[in-house]
Amino acid sequence: DAMVIQNPRYQVTQFGKPVTLSCSQTLNHNVMYWYQQKSSQAPKLLFHYYDKDFNNEADTPDNFQSRRPNTSFCFLDIRSPGLGDAAMYLCATSRGRGGTDTQYFGPGTRLTVL
Amino acid sequence: GQNIDQPTEMTATEGAIVQINCTYQTSGFNGLFWYQQHAGEAPTFLSYNVLDGLEEKGRFSSFLSRSKGYSYLLLKELQMKDSASYLCAVTDSNYQLIWGAGTKLIIKP
């Protein structure tokens, strides 16, 4: 089945220790998104790629970076995680970026910062 | 500013019907999504409305009134597995997706 895969499902890191989360997709979608979601809150868009075109949200901290080496893979790098970065990180894909295309989500990575 | 309002939490009984409301104030409108999210899992797509009216899909229906900035998700014949959060999201005039915080639905036997 075509799908969105995230690894790892659970990640524990120490305060200030860099961490990388990964996402891959077999849907061959053009757009890939990274969201941060804290408990009982709406998903917060961090950035998205339309193909290789990178789009950063204005309020995304510099601490968060992303790479998309090819159509299938996208990475989220957190350079110096703080306690406030503990959250669920969701990767999603869509065919187009018009905002009217359904987004398909991976299972998420739950990040704990000690 | 842009705003999506949903009740924080609702409780319903197994086998019953529940309606989850969503009101929105956004800069323009290009469609409204409903997603289901079980605890600790990713959101999954339920419905997309861009025209006024009711769309039915099995036990779930979604209604939209653009003039009122209002939508609801109707769940019939509730099952225990329907316990989840239900997220409303609106696409604005810039084709940005604005998310609500979700309604946590608790189903009791």
Side-chain angles (χ1 to χ4, degrees):
Chain A
D1 285 341
M3 55 199 305
V4 182
I5 302 160
Q6 290 187 246
N7 285 301
R9 294 291 308 274
Y10 299 90
Q11 176 73 58
V12 180
T13 191
Q14 292 181 332
F15 184 95
K17 185 175 181 182
V19 67
T20 295
L21 310 181
S22 73
C23 177
S24 63
Q25 54 130 341
T26 61
L27 296 160
N28 204 31
H29 282 172
N30 293 312
V31 192
M32 294 187 78
Y33 308 81
W34 278 106
Y35 287 91
Q36 179 194 66
Q37 187 180 28
K38 297 186 177 181
S39 182
S40 302
Q41 294 184 21
K44 179 181 182 302
L45 182 64
L46 297 174
F47 21 61
H48 76 274
Y49 278 92
Y50 179 79
D51 217 4
K52 294 183 179 180
D53 180 27
F54 176 71
N55 297 270
N56 198 31
E57 294 301 301
D59 57 354
T60 299
D62 292 341
N63 196 27
F64 292 88
Q65 308 271 308
S66 184
R67 296 169 282 135
R68 189 179 185 185
N70 54 52
T71 302
S72 301
F73 284 86
C74 196
F75 299 97
L76 171 62
D77 300 307
I78 310 177
R79 293 193 294 188
S80 182
L83 297 178
D85 296 327
M88 175 77 91
Y89 289 88
L90 297 166
C91 174
T93 73
S94 65
R95 184 172 291 113
R97 66 173 171 185
T100 55
D101 286 85
T102 301
Q103 293 187 21
Y104 296 88
F105 286 82
T109 296
R110 181 164 296 283
L111 178 68
T112 301
V113 181
L114 300 177
Chain B
Q2 314 224 73
N3 199 46
I4 310 280
D5 285 314
Q6 306 178 235
T8 304
E9 187 174 295
M10 298 181 70
T11 302
T13 305
E14 190 177 16
I17 299 173
V18 71
Q19 178 175 310
I20 301 174
N21 295 326
C22 171
T23 58
Y24 60 90
Q25 301 89 38
T26 56
S27 56
F29 177 84
N30 279 297
L32 185 145
F33 291 87
W34 283 97
Y35 280 81
Q36 180 191 59
Q37 186 175 26
H38 285 99
E41 298 182 12
T44 55
F45 170 77
L46 288 177
S47 66
Y48 173 68
N49 293 67
V50 66
L51 299 176
D52 289 349
L54 184 70
E55 299 224 355
E56 299 187 68
K57 193 185 293 185
R59 293 189 298 115
F60 292 9
S61 303
S62 55
F63 172 84
L64 175 67
S65 169
R66 288 173 295 170
S67 62
K68 295 182 179 177
Y70 167 69
S71 173
Y72 67 74
L73 183 68
L74 190 71
L75 291 75
K76 302 177 185 176
E77 302 169 17
L78 285 170
Q79 301 175 10
M80 297 303 291
K81 67 178 182 179
D82 298 330
S83 292
S85 287
Y86 292 85
L87 297 155
C88 174
V90 172
T91 304
D92 70 9
S93 58
N94 292 320
Y95 294 95
Q96 299 294 311
L97 195 58
I98 312 301
W99 290 84
T103 298
K104 183 178 180 180
L105 178 63
I106 299 168
I107 310 295
K108 295 186 174 178

